[in-house]
Amino acid sequence: MQFIKSLFCLRGHDNADRFLTLSLSSMFGCFFINALLLGSAVAKIVFIVVASAIFFTSAIRRCRDSGIRSYNGIAISLVMILTLAIISFVESKLSFLSLILPLVLALYLFARPSEQPRIYITGYQGPVDLTELTQIEQNERPQMSRRVEPSLFGESVEQEDNPAPQVAVRTSLQAKLAKNDFADLLQRWMLNNQGATKAIVGVCALLAIGSVGIPALMSTSAEQTVAMGEPIAAKQTVVARSVERLHELPMPDDYYLFLDDNYGLIIHWKADRTTDGEIWSQLTAQGDDSCEVIEFNKGDKIRTINVTVENSGDYYANFSPLDSAKVVSLLARRGNFGLCGYNFSLKGSQKALNSHAEYIDWAN
């Protein structure tokens, strides 16, 4: 518990090793967190807040330890917070390039030498008491050698070879100057190559900007291309899909199931809409976000490949052949589902699916 408190302590000092360890943990934890949390925005925000707090407090302690102004740590922490937000919410692999800038800035703080000798415990010196981490169990201490001294009346007296007080056998903590060979080497290089250091920071800043700007430009270009070619694309979709929708199955709540020639499931329903064309595409991640997944009442979600509208109101949601069996199984077992803002009851769906040879195996 004391160790956790030390992570969020604004007072005190961190040596170079502890600061670098906490920095890398905050940065590269994003890779694993984003893979595990998937689309949970709330969980991602919680991680950003916790990781940023740990990085910020450690940066302030590192500034104090090396005798430089705290605004250096504040500036680097702001860059870190922005980077974590970019990685968590920008859907592009290029976004991970933005990590280079806070990494380089963190190395600058890492390389700064400690201002004076201090007593560090796990790299920390401050008001949080971490001495319990240095205690050695009594049974792990080597037994002190003893010798027997003769006495005047024939009785023997045991004496310790080392008559120092008991406190001397305990682990002693001495103030010392934290040293790190790599940090010293990096500090000397930066001092001797200030121009190159500034150039590296500048390039890293450009990469960070590009990691956000390039995907945004590509997205805008793709959207414009889709908009310009929408009438032709819509007509081609109608023609192509007209020969691929097979095995029609009416479902109880006024929607229909089809299979394409690759056994990809298609859900069709009618609604009021005037504009035809593709309203959602997984390929471009553009369009109506409510069409991105089909969501069932117990929280199951499966992505659509795309959703199109034909004849001013005929919706067609297309799924991957890999997901067809799963979607049909959920249609048979769940109570309702939502798609593109429309909700459908699944009452009687099991019976309907069992009535068609193409769906009965998946439904059971």
Side-chain angles (χ1 to χ4, degrees):
M1 190 63 177
Q2 291 294 94
F3 179 77
I4 299 298
K5 289 182 179 179
S6 72
L7 295 179
F8 298 95
C9 176
L10 269 173
R11 299 162 59 192
H13 309 80
D14 273 6
N15 65 15
D17 293 337
R18 177 183 168 101
F19 171 72
L20 187 62
T21 300
L22 295 179
S23 299
L24 294 179
S25 299
S26 299
M27 293 179 196
F28 295 102
C30 282
F31 289 98
F32 304 101
I33 294 299
N34 279 279
L36 294 174
L37 297 180
L38 298 177
S40 176
V42 174
K44 288 181 178 180
I45 291 173
V46 171
F47 168 76
I48 291 173
V49 171
V50 174
S52 299
I54 292 174
F55 181 88
F56 170 71
T57 53
S58 183
I60 296 300
R61 295 192 300 268
R62 181 84 268 271
C63 289
R64 187 177 295 115
D65 182 69
S66 57
I68 61 175
R69 295 182 179 276
S70 296
Y71 70 75
N72 291 279
I74 295 173
I76 295 175
S77 298
L78 291 175
V79 174
M80 170 62 80
I81 295 171
L82 182 60
T83 300
L84 294 179
I86 290 172
I87 293 174
S88 298
F89 295 104
V90 175
E91 296 183 358
S92 170
K93 292 182 179 179
L94 287 176
S95 65
F96 288 101
L97 286 175
S98 61
L99 270 177
I100 297 176
L101 181 58
L103 177 59
V104 170
L105 295 177
L107 286 176
Y108 163 75
L109 275 187
F110 163 76
R112 300 288 302 183
S114 295
E115 187 179 29
Q116 64 184 48
R118 293 186 175 90
I119 297 174
Y120 297 98
I121 301 177
T122 65
Y124 167 84
Q125 186 274 328
V128 180
D129 185 10
L130 297 182
T131 53
E132 62 181 14
L133 300 179
T134 67
Q135 293 177 355
I136 302 175
E137 295 295 334
Q138 185 67 32
N139 58 6
E140 294 180 357
R141 297 176 185 170
Q143 294 295 325
M144 299 181 63
S145 61
R146 299 173 179 271
R147 68 174 183 270
V148 179
E149 295 288 348
S151 68
L152 180 62
F153 300 101
E155 296 179 355
S156 61
V157 178
E158 292 185 351
Q159 292 187 357
E160 297 178 351
D161 286 341
N162 184 5
Q166 184 179 1
V167 69
V169 302
R170 297 180 180 175
T171 301
S172 61
L173 299 175
Q174 297 180 352
K176 58 183 179 179
L177 188 64
K179 299 288 290 183
N180 183 293
D181 292 339
F182 177 65
D184 292 342
L185 179 64
L186 186 59
Q187 174 70 5
R188 288 197 298 270
W189 187 90
M190 289 191 298
L191 289 175
N192 296 328
N193 301 272
Q194 296 185 15
T197 301
K198 293 178 181 179
I200 290 173
V201 173
V203 171
C204 292
L206 290 175
L207 286 175
I209 295 172
S211 68
V212 180
I214 292 175
L217 290 174
M218 293 175 63
S219 176
T220 302
S221 299
E223 187 175 349
Q224 291 176 347
T225 301
V226 170
M228 292 174 62
E230 184 176 356
I232 297 176
K235 293 179 180 179
Q236 291 176 341
T237 300
V238 172
V239 174
R241 287 296 182 185
S242 65
V243 296
E244 293 178 352
R245 292 174 186 140
L246 310 171
H247 311 299
E248 179 180 358
L249 176 61
M251 297 295 285
D253 198 13
D254 294 328
Y255 67 95
Y256 299 81
L257 301 184
F258 295 91
L259 294 173
D260 64 23
D261 53 0
N262 292 315
Y263 277 79
L265 185 71
I266 303 168
I267 297 180
H268 163 56
W269 71 96
K270 292 181 178 292
D272 296 330
R273 189 178 178 92
T274 57
T275 303
D276 290 355
E278 188 176 66
I279 62 171
W280 166 257
S281 171
Q282 184 183 137
L283 180 63
T284 62
Q286 298 294 318
D288 186 348
D289 291 343
S290 67
C291 297
E292 181 180 357
V293 297
I294 180 174
E295 182 172 2
F296 293 86
N297 60 299
K298 290 191 177 181
D300 304 276
K301 297 179 182 180
I302 299 179
R303 288 181 178 273
T304 60
I305 292 179
N306 69 348
V307 178
T308 61
V309 176
E310 301 172 12
N311 304 320
S312 300
D314 288 333
Y315 281 70
Y316 293 92
N318 301 282
F319 295 86
S320 166
L322 296 174
D323 294 326
S324 294
K326 180 64 174 177
V327 176
V328 172
S329 176
L330 291 171
L331 290 174
R333 291 170 171 78
R334 296 295 183 258
N336 58 73
F337 71 87
L339 183 58
C340 295
Y342 296 93
N343 295 309
F344 299 90
S345 171
L346 291 174
K347 184 177 180 180
S349 59
Q350 177 80 56
K351 180 178 180 181
L353 292 167
N354 287 339
S355 70
H356 198 295
E358 295 295 332
Y359 302 98
I360 188 171
D361 290 338
W362 291 340
N364 296 282

